[in-house]
Amino acid sequence: MTKKLIPILLICLFFFSSCATRVIGDIDEETAERIRFWTADVEQFRSHVLRWHPKFVHEDLVGLPRNIEQGIALDHHLNKLLKNIINLTDFEVLAELQRAAAILQDGHFIFGGFPFQNNFMHSLMNNRYPLVFKWLYDGFYLAMADEDFNGVLNHKLLAINNIPIEDVFSAFIGFMSVENIYGAKSQFALHVNAPGLLDAIGVKDSTDTVFGFCVGNGSDTLNISIPKSYIIAMDGWWGVNWIANWYSFGLVDNRIEGELPVMFRNHETANWHIFFEGDGLLYIRIHESMRFGNDFKYTFDNAVRLTESRMMRATIIDLRGNPGGDKEAYLPYFRILAENTPPGSLFVFMDEGVYSAALLSAGYLYTLGAVLVGRPSGQLTDFYAFVGTSARPQWWATLRFSRYEIAVPNQFFTLRPLGINPPDLTLRPHITIDFTIEDWINNRDPLLEYVLGRIN
């Protein structure tokens, strides 16, 4: 690996863009100073990304056509931004920088986002409408809401402010840094209830936001109008515990009476397990790949004892919605569980919410003979993340004028050494099973039902 190997094409683009002069015309000194400050931030953004992102410095990655194309697109976008700063508000400049980040299609890349202070994306997510959406196989559905909007619960979203949802989603993809269509849909469902985000992507109204739903037999529509004052103030970056958190805000659902499916329970615990004795089925849920609590050792020590007792007929490791963490402590347990589980009876549940360490875990379990069940992952099998800790790592910078943070992933990860290298870099399950609105309404988990049917 080398830290300085940047494609000649990108060097040339950076040189010419830096040397370009722009005619500002007759403007007052305050405006001229603002332009100078923002220009410095944009150039610092460009320089920092090209200097530190593995796409542009890793010797095995710099020549890949995908990375070269993204470098050119990033440079073109920033040049266009520089020419147009005089016509943009500060908010609009920040939004354009976020769009520049989206060009990289890197889910770990951070421009002014959690966990850094004075962050832009966090400010867009702090306030939410009391509507919670879930992406299902055929659209975006309203799963939870304030009881005032009971009438549209479990219905499909068609439009926002009379803009077709397909167009809103397209604008979102150009704004949020997502890696594939599955991750994009998952993230859109999670964040489309944020009025700040809707403003940033150009889906806004002067006072109210109108959500349009498909109702009846599918041919009718029903609109609900929500004032921007009708919001919930919250930390906009959680998503793993979406059900538990939203219930705490007093939102309701419209399911039938009964317990939530197992996959949605115990979200306050990163790792937990249950043994279905009558079926001989060991179910392990990993909401987040975190090994720092007592739940980690308790869960996996007990799981290993159960498999060693040979009381079980199958083992499930459920990674759905797991955003990652640290996989290393899990791998020895995964090996033991695979050795102790009957051949063909180790299952991994996955979906578009599987990212980072969870994706690496799924790939490792695949090599141990696990059967992957569910939906494709939202993270690419080639991706970038943060490794190592430091009070002020080199890949973390503060823009000098706006003071927003920028953090570039410093490590390249791939599933290729595991023999996993799909053409579109998307890990897909052996058995594809969708989660539908009927499953949500009726408290069903179709993946669990599939395994129970298979072993019985």
Side-chain angles (χ1 to χ4, degrees):
M1 182 188 299
T2 175
K3 294 288 186 181
K4 302 298 181 183
L5 186 57
I6 302 176
I8 295 176
L9 178 58
L10 291 182
I11 293 176
C12 293
L13 286 168
F14 177 68
F15 175 79
F16 287 121
S17 62
S18 299
C19 295
T21 56
R22 296 182 299 111
V23 178
I24 298 177
D26 296 327
I27 57 175
D28 58 79
E29 180 56 33
E30 182 179 352
T31 301
E33 184 178 43
R34 174 183 175 275
I35 292 173
R36 286 194 297 271
F37 285 160
W38 272 122
T39 298
D41 272 11
V42 172
E43 292 293 9
Q44 185 185 357
F45 182 101
R46 186 202 318 256
S47 176
H48 189 74
V49 172
L50 293 180
R51 183 180 182 187
W52 293 108
H53 201 292
K55 286 176 181 277
F56 309 124
V57 298
H58 192 297
E59 59 187 4
D60 296 329
L61 304 174
V62 294
L64 296 179
R66 172 187 174 93
N67 294 343
I68 293 175
E69 291 168 5
Q70 289 179 354
I72 293 172
L74 175 71
D75 207 77
H76 175 76
H77 181 88
L78 294 177
N79 287 341
K80 184 177 178 181
L81 172 57
L82 286 172
K83 294 177 182 178
N84 202 35
I85 284 176
I86 191 173
N87 301 314
L88 301 176
T89 66
D90 290 351
F91 179 84
E92 289 169 336
V93 175
L94 290 167
E96 291 305 315
L97 285 174
Q98 175 57 37
R99 288 186 175 90
I103 291 171
L104 297 176
Q105 297 178 343
D106 177 357
H108 283 81
F109 183 92
I110 295 172
F111 167 57
F114 178 83
F116 306 112
Q117 299 299 313
N118 190 26
N119 49 69
F120 176 62
M121 290 300 293
H122 187 89
S123 68
L124 299 182
M125 308 299 184
N126 261 343
N127 295 321
R128 301 296 185 106
Y129 292 127
L131 308 172
V132 181
F133 293 92
K134 186 75 174 164
W135 177 59
L136 304 175
Y137 81 103
D138 65 339
F140 302 97
Y141 286 80
L142 185 64
M144 302 175 69
D146 187 278
E147 59 185 11
D148 290 345
F149 308 113
N150 247 337
V152 289
L153 278 169
N154 301 328
H155 291 296
K156 187 193 296 188
L157 182 64
L158 293 181
I160 302 177
N161 289 340
N162 296 317
I163 302 173
I165 200 62
E166 295 80 8
D167 294 339
V168 180
F169 179 62
S170 179
F172 174 82
I173 291 177
F175 185 80
M176 185 72 78
S177 193
V178 293
E179 301 194 13
N180 63 18
I181 190 65
Y182 306 103
K185 289 180 176 179
S186 173
Q187 292 296 307
F188 182 76
L190 185 63
H191 298 307
V192 72
N193 62 354
L197 174 68
L198 295 177
D199 285 346
I201 64 175
V203 183
K204 52 190 175 182
D205 206 326
S206 57
T207 53
D208 298 349
T209 300
V210 179
F211 292 84
F213 294 88
C214 175
V215 296
N217 59 8
S219 60
D220 298 328
T221 60
L222 178 63
N223 291 338
I224 59 172
S225 182
I226 307 182
K228 292 199 174 178
S229 58
Y230 196 170
I231 57 174
I232 296 173
M234 51 167 283
D235 177 355
W237 282 95
W238 55 256
V240 180
N241 303 335
W242 67 279
I243 288 182
N245 278 302
W246 283 115
Y247 280 137
S248 72
F249 282 108
L251 302 191
V252 300
D253 58 43
N254 196 15
R255 299 178 298 110
I256 65 171
E257 293 296 326
E259 281 191 302
L260 282 164
V262 174
M263 64 178 288
F264 292 128
R265 300 178 197 169
N266 302 334
H267 272 84
E268 70 283 356
T269 305
N271 309 276
W272 61 274
H273 73 294
I274 185 172
F275 183 60
F276 296 92
E277 190 168 354
D279 299 294
L281 175 62
L282 172 62
Y283 174 91
I284 302 170
R285 184 71 166 107
I286 309 176
H287 291 300
E288 297 180 81
S289 299
M290 305 297 289
R291 56 179 176 80
F292 305 110
N294 295 330
D295 59 283
F296 170 77
K297 187 170 177 55
Y298 174 80
T299 293
F300 285 96
D301 283 351
N302 277 336
V304 167
R305 278 195 290 270
L306 283 167
T307 60
E308 288 175 342
S309 72
R310 302 297 178 182
M311 296 171 56
M312 36 66 67
R313 300 166 61 191
T315 299
I316 293 171
I317 298 175
D318 193 342
L319 298 173
R320 285 175 289 183
N322 185 325
D326 182 1
K327 76 180 192 310
E328 294 304 319
Y330 290 82
L331 301 188
Y333 285 109
F334 289 160
R335 273 197 304 274
I336 296 172
L337 292 171
E339 291 169 358
N340 293 346
T341 300
S345 299
L346 174 62
F347 300 91
V348 174
F349 289 176
M350 58 179 288
D351 65 4
E352 62 283 349
V354 167
Y355 292 95
S356 199
L359 175 69
L360 297 173
S361 295
Y364 181 72
L365 286 160
Y366 170 86
T367 67
L368 298 177
V371 179
L372 307 185
V373 183
R375 298 193 294 205
S377 68
Q379 181 105 63
L380 295 182
T381 53
D382 283 359
F383 69 94
Y384 310 87
F386 300 98
V387 174
T389 58
S390 174
R392 189 67 177 181
Q394 292 175 312
W395 36 263
W396 174 12
T398 302
L399 297 182
R400 286 183 287 272
F401 167 55
S402 61
R403 308 306 300 169
Y404 282 95
E405 307 287 358
I406 177 173
V408 176
N410 66 334
Q411 187 70 46
F412 172 62
F413 291 89
T414 178
L415 297 187
R416 295 179 208 170
L418 301 179
I420 302 172
N421 189 23
D424 64 351
L425 301 180
T426 296
L427 181 65
R428 287 179 166 80
H430 299 98
I431 308 296
T432 300
I433 301 177
D434 288 311
F435 190 78
T436 69
I437 191 61
E438 287 76 21
D439 294 325
W440 167 250
I441 293 171
N442 293 289
N443 301 318
R444 291 197 308 256
D445 183 349
L447 279 64
L448 182 58
E449 290 179 0
Y450 165 78
V451 172
L452 287 171
R454 183 161 166 170
I455 65 176
N456 288 326

